[in-house]
Amino acid sequence: MGKFLGFGGVLRLGVFLMGVGLSGATALAQELSVRVDKPGAVIQPTMWGIFFEDINMAADGGLYAELVKNRSFEFSEPMMGWKGKALVINRSEERPDNPRFVRVEPGAVLVNEGFRGMGIKQGEMYHFSVWTRGGGALAVELQSPSGAVLGSLRMRLKPGEGWHKDTASFVATATEPKARLSVKYDGKGTLDLDMISLFPQHTWRERPGGLRADLVQLLADLRPGFIRFPGGCIVEGRTLEGRYQWKKTVGKVEDRKQIVNRWNTEFAHRPTPDYFQSFGLGFFEYFQLAEDIGASPLPILNCGMACQFNTAEVVPVEGLDPYIQDALDLIEFANGPVSSKWGALRASMGHPESFHLKMMGVGNEQWGPQYVERYKVFSAAIKARYPDVRLVNSVGPNPDGELFDFLNDTLRKMHADILDEHYYRNPEWFLQQAKRYDNYDRSGPRIFAGEYAAQSDKVVSVNNKNNWRSAISEAAFMTGLERNADVVQMASYAPLFAHVEGWQWTPDLIWFDNLRSYGTPDYYVQKLFANNRGSVVVPLTQGGETLTGQGGLYGSACLDNGTGELIVKLVNAGDGEVRPVISLLGGKKKTGKGTMTVLKAGLEDVNSLDAPTAVSPTESAMLLQGNKMTPVLGGHSMAVIRIKI
Ligand code: AHR
């Protein structure tokens, strides 16, 4: 953990000075102009996306709707999450990917505690399943913490020598965020059990063994352009052995080899000893999720390097073949014909059509010459076979400094496709960097703002808050990304999810418990940008100068070619009200009516499970009169104006 304090540099928030912002509470008038006849940079459909990493219980205990923790007894402590008497048997010779199962005596009761309990809803159907060998019957109950029965079933098991799967369903009679599952064996002789599982019927798109519907809905509502997956440092692993290997996350769930989650032990101050990766949410489910919500997939693969904040192990360059093969095979898994080896696996999992994978990240947050050496070999092999796949490169963990400069220079000379910049900085940095891309080389690699979030305290501090102070600074920064859409072609806030009782890292975009979830102020900023993406940037100026924070006012403007609307985004980072007069130049339309969507809050305001939309957008009408619009922007507010021109 101590190592982590180094990355990104620890920047203190200090006072929210708004060096480029306002002070005082007087209303200021600003004359702004939009040249609607001067279309500039094209905004890519991928512009605003999602970064998914299994950190903070984002997958097991989160997005993956499985309610049983340690369902196949593969945690380092095989009975972790379980109470009851059982003999743990390891058959690693026979089943190396799912070696353990348990053997119980007649009358034995096994109780699973779930992921910080199990969230159960009254009137909803739950599907119980188990692999057994032996026969007899199981009495299955959902229980409240005090032992009240919230739903039950009795399951007769097929007798016999071999393993088989039994399933049965029941309806919960009460809502309970902290339920547990009790499984009692009624029978003669011993019974063997494995893969003890409980899923709600109601998952995203009602898929059996699927994803938590409320969490996917929050993602779908963002209308993201892409999903980066599976991270994040989890790609790298603390050691190479612990790296993310996509091939171990596809096929039948009972054959996906579980490993410890690297965030389990990362931070001594946020220990999560029960954090493992079942890979129930694996690469197939990821591609399917991206397709469901209209996002392009952007997998990030290990490039033969373990996390440089941890062991920093590397594979010798001449030993890279299996890593490169994994990358090539992933492209085949996503896009290959059903007659190919990996395309056939995709088809057997229910998706014969291509997932249309067009880009891929080589390494996560790598740095140094060791990355360049490995990247060269990777890119040569991938480009030789798949010349149209665009590659995303790391430029290290920081947006500046020695590590950044080295990779930035080197990879530009190598004509890299896309550079992945990361910024975990304080809100003031985000305000100051709204101009970051104004002078970037227009003919060099495109930029992916691959991980960013304003830190209200400092990187990896447990005191970081998803408050409006942070969110509005990100909004100001994002106007700079949009304005430079010819250079910046993708951006994603990070991390995405956090369980309120199981997190390691804050801030995060979406928080949840076992039954509820909410978007943070940062979420609503992301949503406003992504839902109002537009097609092409047009100039937004003040006194002939591009608007980049003059008087604390930030902004960007674009046209939506689909709807024929002008979209103006304005961020008033100061505390005084601003009344800009926006003149539309070069267009024909002089009058009209549109909408203005506003996010406004106190700087310390946050959302929570009990007040999930305390900071959320409100919409009102916006008039265009004599070619002019006169919105009123309260202190510390963001507005998105849409008007047909
Ligand atoms: O988003 C959390 C972590 O921050 C990611 O895993 C890593 O890439 C970055 O350092």
Side-chain angles (χ1 to χ4, degrees):
M1 170 256 149
K3 298 244 177 76
F4 254 97
L5 285 174
F7 87 74
V10 178
L11 289 182
R12 292 220 136 260
L13 165 65
V15 186
F16 196 54
L17 273 177
M18 301 291 186
V20 283
L22 286 177
S23 58
T26 42
L28 290 185
Q30 294 209 22
E31 297 280 338
L32 305 179
S33 304
V34 182
R35 287 302 304 247
V36 297
D37 59 341
K38 292 254 184 268
V42 171
I43 302 168
Q44 298 300 319
T46 50
M47 183 73 190
W48 309 113
I50 289 176
F51 162 97
F52 179 92
E53 176 169 21
D54 189 4
I55 182 173
N56 305 316
M57 287 174 54
D60 293 343
L63 193 57
Y64 185 50
E66 171 67 88
L67 294 167
V68 176
K69 182 167 77 182
N70 193 12
R71 64 186 174 190
S72 67
F73 309 97
E74 306 301 340
F75 284 16
S76 319
E77 295 291 332
M79 291 303 283
M80 190 180 253
W82 293 95
K83 282 205 175 80
K85 218 172 133 202
L87 180 67
V88 178
I89 301 180
N90 190 320
R91 55 180 161 178
S92 56
E93 292 289 300
E94 182 196 333
R95 293 284 304 275
D97 294 335
N98 182 358
R100 296 199 191 111
F101 65 91
V102 293
R103 178 162 294 165
V104 294
E105 300 290 333
V109 180
L110 294 179
V111 178
N112 189 273
E113 66 188 22
F115 299 91
R116 314 295 183 274
M118 297 177 183
I120 300 297
K121 286 190 187 147
Q122 183 176 22
E124 285 207 4
M125 172 87 81
Y126 290 86
H127 301 299
F128 173 80
S129 67
V130 59
W131 285 85
T132 60
R133 183 167 62 178
L138 292 179
V140 178
E141 285 181 357
L142 269 174
Q143 298 171 350
S144 73
S146 61
V149 177
L150 311 176
S152 64
L153 64 88
R154 192 173 165 80
M155 178 186 255
R156 286 224 67 82
L157 305 171
K158 285 175 215 131
E161 298 283 295
W163 285 96
H164 55 264
K165 186 178 177 181
D166 292 288
T167 55
S169 307
F170 58 97
V171 172
T173 55
T175 295
E176 169 58 61
K178 297 271 181 192
R180 63 190 184 213
L181 180 75
S182 164
V183 180
K184 181 174 180 204
Y185 171 46
D186 266 347
K188 298 197 178 92
T190 60
L191 176 70
D192 294 341
L193 301 126
D194 199 1
M195 293 296 288
I196 303 176
S197 167
L198 185 71
F199 270 93
Q201 154 76 25
H202 178 48
T203 55
W204 170 253
R205 299 210 168 164
E206 309 290 313
R207 287 203 182 101
L211 306 181
R212 209 174 118 171
D214 61 326
L215 296 181
V216 180
Q217 192 59 56
L218 280 163
L219 301 185
D221 290 347
L222 285 172
R223 294 193 232 145
F226 66 89
I227 308 182
R228 174 188 180 132
F229 180 94
C233 292
I234 211 158
V235 170
E236 306 159 49
R238 295 172 61 86
T239 60
L240 280 169
E241 201 194 341
R243 73 190 186 278
Y244 196 103
Q245 299 186 57
W246 76 267
K247 287 176 180 165
K248 300 190 175 184
T249 74
V250 291
K252 293 180 185 151
V253 284
E254 59 271 23
D255 294 333
R256 300 182 192 179
K257 189 170 171 56
Q258 291 201 26
I259 59 171
V260 69
N261 186 303
R262 57 150 300 134
W263 298 104
N264 174 318
T265 48
E266 189 71 46
F267 298 124
H269 59 284
R270 295 293 305 171
T272 323
D274 57 344
Y275 201 1
F276 286 75
Q277 295 175 268
S278 73
F279 297 118
L281 195 186
F283 251 85
F284 179 84
E285 292 76 16
Y286 155 60
F287 283 134
Q288 195 173 42
L289 170 66
E291 181 179 79
D292 285 353
I293 65 176
S296 294
L298 170 49
I300 308 286
L301 294 197
N302 188 297
C303 64
M305 300 177 73
C307 183
Q308 289 165 277
F309 291 114
N310 303 132
T311 61
E313 278 185 305
V314 294
V315 171
V317 173
E318 56 282 8
L320 277 174
D321 280 0
Y323 291 74
I324 292 170
Q325 196 57 48
D326 275 359
L328 297 173
D329 291 343
L330 182 65
I331 301 172
E332 186 177 292
F333 178 68
N335 299 347
V338 297
S339 53
S340 64
K341 175 178 171 192
W342 294 102
L345 176 62
R346 182 190 72 243
S348 76
M349 293 180 75
H351 202 285
E353 308 80 15
S354 162
F355 279 121
H356 307 293
L357 178 63
K358 295 193 181 106
M359 49 193 175
M360 174 180 270
V362 177
N364 174 46
E365 223 173 40
Q366 323 304 155
W367 64 78
Q370 60 274 48
Y371 174 60
V372 178
E373 268 184 301
R374 282 158 186 78
Y375 172 69
K376 274 185 191 157
V377 188
F378 256 84
S379 69
I382 296 173
K383 293 282 184 187
R385 178 97 168 265
Y386 297 105
D388 296 335
V389 170
R390 298 176 78 207
L391 296 182
V392 170
N393 289 113
S394 167
V395 280
N398 305 317
D400 45 38
E402 231 176 273
L403 299 179
F404 175 85
D405 291 344
F406 169 71
L407 282 183
N408 192 39
D409 293 347
T410 311
L411 292 166
R412 280 173 187 277
K413 285 184 194 132
M414 288 166 63
H415 306 292
D417 293 336
I418 304 171
L419 303 181
D420 174 12
E421 299 189 357
H422 293 184
Y423 356 87
Y424 294 99
R425 291 289 200 255
N426 65 25
E428 202 184 9
W429 184 93
F430 279 86
L431 292 176
Q432 284 161 353
Q433 294 286 316
K435 291 192 235 177
R436 178 178 178 89
Y437 297 105
D438 291 0
N439 299 316
Y440 260 53
D441 177 5
R442 306 337 261 186
S443 58
R446 308 295 93 173
I447 299 299
F448 171 28
E451 293 186 30
Y452 66 91
Q455 314 287 296
S456 70
D457 186 19
K458 61 189 177 198
V459 184
V460 305
S461 163
V462 294
N463 297 321
N464 285 322
K465 297 276 178 279
N466 283 104
N467 57 23
W468 182 234
R469 181 194 296 282
S470 297
I472 195 174
S473 73
E474 290 152 7
F477 177 72
M478 289 165 76
T479 61
L481 302 185
E482 181 179 297
R483 201 176 52 247
N484 289 287
D486 52 336
V487 171
V488 183
Q489 300 203 331
M490 293 186 288
S492 44
Y493 182 100
L496 180 62
F497 282 125
H499 190 299
V500 292
E501 292 178 56
W503 59 272
Q504 298 80 43
W505 179 293
T506 181
D508 305 287
L509 200 64
I510 294 168
W511 289 77
F512 59 90
D513 66 8
N514 288 344
L515 289 175
R516 300 171 295 168
S517 49
Y518 70 92
T520 56
D522 315 72
Y523 171 87
Y524 287 106
V525 166
Q526 293 292 322
K527 189 172 170 183
L528 280 185
F529 273 85
N531 285 196
N532 296 286
R533 176 171 53 79
S535 323
V536 59
V537 177
V538 288
L540 170 64
T541 54
Q542 190 217 34
E545 300 287 320
T546 303
L547 184 67
T548 56
Q550 294 91 318
L553 192 63
Y554 299 78
S556 52
C558 56
L559 302 175
D560 184 329
N561 292 339
T563 62
E565 288 170 299
L566 167 70
I567 304 171
V568 182
K569 301 186 182 81
L570 292 170
V571 177
N572 175 13
D575 53 7
E577 189 176 271
V578 179
R579 293 169 176 266
V581 178
I582 309 174
S583 301
L584 273 47
L585 307 178
K588 290 194 184 119
K589 191 136 185 194
K590 308 277 184 246
T591 58
K593 193 171 160 193
T595 57
M596 176 158 98
T597 310
V598 173
L599 262 174
K600 175 169 164 41
L603 289 176
E604 305 311 318
D605 289 357
V606 294
N607 289 339
S608 65
L609 288 170
D610 294 327
T613 53
V615 182
S616 57
T618 53
E619 196 180 289
S620 57
M622 173 53 50
L623 296 180
L624 176 69
Q625 287 171 318
N627 255 3
K628 293 188 193 307
M629 297 188 289
T630 52
V632 178
L633 304 174
H636 306 134
S637 71
M638 167 188 180
V640 179
I641 297 167
R642 288 190 80 111
I643 192 148
K644 274 227 192 291
I645 54 159

